[in-house]
Amino acid sequence: MQNLLSDLVVVDLTRALSGPHAAMMLGDLGARVIKVETPVGGDDSRGWGPPFVEGESTYFLSANRNKESVTADLKSAEGKEFLTKLVRKADVLLENFRPGVLDRLGFSVEELHALNPGLVILSITGFGHDGPEGQRAGYDQIAQGEGGLMSITGAVEPTKTGVPIADLLAGMYGAYGVLAALHERNVTGRGRVVRTSLLASVVGVHAFHGTKWTVAGELPERVGNHHAQIAPYGMYRTADDIVQVAVGSEGQWRVFAPLVGLDPLDSRFVGNADRVAHRDELTAAIELALAGAPADEWLRRLAAVGIPSGKVRDFQQVYEWEQTRSQGLLIEVEHPTLGTVQLPGPPLRFDDQPYAGARETNLPPPRLGEHDESVRAWLDE
């Protein structure tokens, strides 16, 4: 099962996060990913920090495992010739320039497909490839705000998510589209263009918040650490800490209510819609009961009766948690500068493999231009 995409060559012209994340996902599945960077500075994220460790940006390290790095000035004749050779040998090309930039460099979709009719092209933009604002530059937090996500996140004022979710989702959707296009190419022999954007990725995960507006005509509101349409489902204070509790069915409610001293048939709380309407009263009653014991005790009691619950862990606790490690979610790589380092690993496992992803051996995020000689030698074979 390892190296599922080992027959594929991916040219990664992207920088920052959305495109690099998509390329890394393909690399995690075994594809050969050749990251083309500008000779001076390389990918913008190489300079994003602190923290830097031995000069390496931890931001860059997070999105560039399982890749090779080559440098080329795509505005120069030499750089254009290099990319032309690379495109002819590639299966996939990823780019996240603003619309029109690649065209001006002489690598429009038509020109790329003239060089390689089977090339699958993934193009990620900020706000789409056309429309009245298609030329806008896109950064994650701007897209979170423009795409409505911040309007439903937080307790009082609009709040961004703790991770750059628009970038990451665009990368995930992009890789998903690439695999579909590759599947089609197996039938037709021709590649196609896959397009997504930060805006599309955010709107694509509106889920039930979106249909609340499009179908019911109601604007979703911020409800902090509680579920907008299910109660009780959220974060609650105990005697010494906080716990999260999810009561997702009426059967669970009938078990949970007596545990916290409530009558499951109380008219304020008898059905989910009633509990949502009286959420503040319900939360106060639950926290009054939870104040009688520490968090670990409540988690034990809740687990004993089958009520989903959990802690709010910091990153140290997550990475030291045996459950995280048992899932192969930390990988070790040998970095040429940093030595042996641990990285958050791929989120997929196949069959009974003990490691995540589809590679038995993962490549460290490359140094800038580390593979200049080996890639150019391969192109000349």
Side-chain angles (χ1 to χ4, degrees):
M1 288 294 295
Q2 64 206 36
N3 298 336
L4 297 176
L5 303 184
S6 59
D7 58 329
L8 298 179
V9 174
V10 176
V11 177
D12 179 11
L13 301 183
T14 67
R15 68 270 185 237
L17 186 54
S18 61
H21 189 75
M24 183 174 69
M25 290 180 67
L26 299 173
D28 287 344
L29 295 176
R32 181 181 187 183
V33 179
I34 300 172
K35 183 178 180 71
V36 182
E37 303 186 67
T38 58
V40 179
D43 187 322
D44 298 336
S45 68
R46 288 186 183 273
W48 289 355
F52 297 96
V53 180
E54 299 293 330
E56 299 288 339
S57 161
T58 59
Y59 196 114
F60 177 84
L61 296 177
S62 75
N64 289 284
R65 64 175 176 260
N66 292 321
K67 300 180 187 181
E68 301 166 62
S69 170
V70 295
T71 57
D73 178 2
L74 299 184
K75 296 179 180 178
S76 71
E78 181 183 358
K80 292 177 191 294
E81 181 183 3
F82 168 72
L83 183 56
T84 296
K85 290 182 178 180
L86 203 49
V87 166
R88 286 185 172 135
K89 283 199 169 189
D91 298 281
V92 180
L93 181 143
L94 285 67
E95 64 93 5
N96 62 349
F97 297 108
R98 289 174 67 173
V101 170
L102 209 54
D103 296 24
R104 292 193 292 274
L105 290 172
F107 294 97
S108 66
V109 168
E110 294 75 19
E111 289 164 313
L112 288 168
H113 277 155
L115 291 170
N116 182 348
L119 186 70
V120 170
I121 302 165
L122 170 62
S123 182
I124 302 176
T125 58
F127 292 90
H129 293 73
D130 46 27
E133 300 189 45
Q135 289 295 320
R136 287 180 64 181
Y139 275 79
D140 177 86
Q141 187 166 332
I142 306 302
Q144 286 193 43
E146 292 277 30
L149 192 60
M150 290 172 65
S151 75
I152 58 170
T153 307
V156 179
E157 63 179 16
T159 304
K160 70 179 182 68
T161 63
V163 296
I165 196 68
D167 276 325
L168 297 171
L169 286 171
M172 292 169 66
Y173 278 127
Y176 162 71
V178 163
L179 294 177
L182 287 168
H183 179 74
E184 180 194 45
R185 190 186 71 168
N186 289 337
V187 177
T188 66
R190 297 194 61 83
R192 69 161 62 239
V193 182
V194 179
R195 293 189 172 102
T196 191
S197 68
L198 306 191
L199 174 63
S201 72
V202 169
V203 175
V205 293
H206 279 178
F208 56 86
H209 292 287
T211 50
K212 184 174 184 178
W213 168 251
T214 63
V215 179
E218 297 179 19
L219 276 176
E221 298 176 347
R222 291 182 296 280
V223 291
N225 289 311
H226 290 271
H227 197 290
Q229 292 175 239
I230 305 173
Y233 189 141
M235 193 170 75
Y236 303 92
R237 290 182 292 269
T238 69
D240 65 341
D241 204 347
I242 55 177
V243 296
Q244 299 204 89
V245 180
V247 178
S249 70
E250 295 308 318
Q252 288 179 341
W253 167 247
R254 289 190 290 272
V255 172
F256 175 77
L259 196 65
V260 293
L262 294 174
D263 178 1
L265 300 180
D266 185 318
S267 61
R268 298 170 299 168
F269 309 139
V270 67
N272 181 68
D274 304 304
R275 296 192 292 274
V276 170
H278 297 90
R279 185 195 311 277
D280 290 346
E281 295 172 70
L282 179 60
T283 298
I286 291 171
E287 291 197 330
L288 181 63
L290 297 187
D296 285 345
E297 173 62 19
W298 278 112
L299 291 172
R300 186 192 64 76
R301 293 181 193 178
L302 291 163
V305 294
I307 300 298
S309 59
K311 301 178 178 180
V312 176
R313 298 174 188 265
D314 64 27
F315 275 44
Q316 178 180 351
Q317 292 168 327
V318 170
Y319 290 127
E320 291 178 351
W321 188 19
E322 185 55 37
Q323 186 61 25
T324 300
R325 293 180 174 274
S326 74
Q327 301 307 298
L329 297 176
L330 273 174
I331 60 172
E332 283 193 351
V333 297
E334 292 299 321
H335 190 276
T337 302
L338 302 177
T340 303
V341 294
Q342 289 189 327
L343 301 175
L348 295 175
R349 293 174 71 185
F350 294 91
D351 290 331
D352 58 352
Q353 298 222 36
Y355 45 84
R359 310 178 71 114
E360 190 167 7
T361 302
N362 289 284
L363 303 177
R367 293 174 298 175
L368 180 61
E370 181 179 343
H371 303 92
D372 276 342
E373 292 184 9
S374 59
V375 170
R376 283 176 166 83
W378 169 70
L379 288 177
D380 291 335
E381 289 177 356

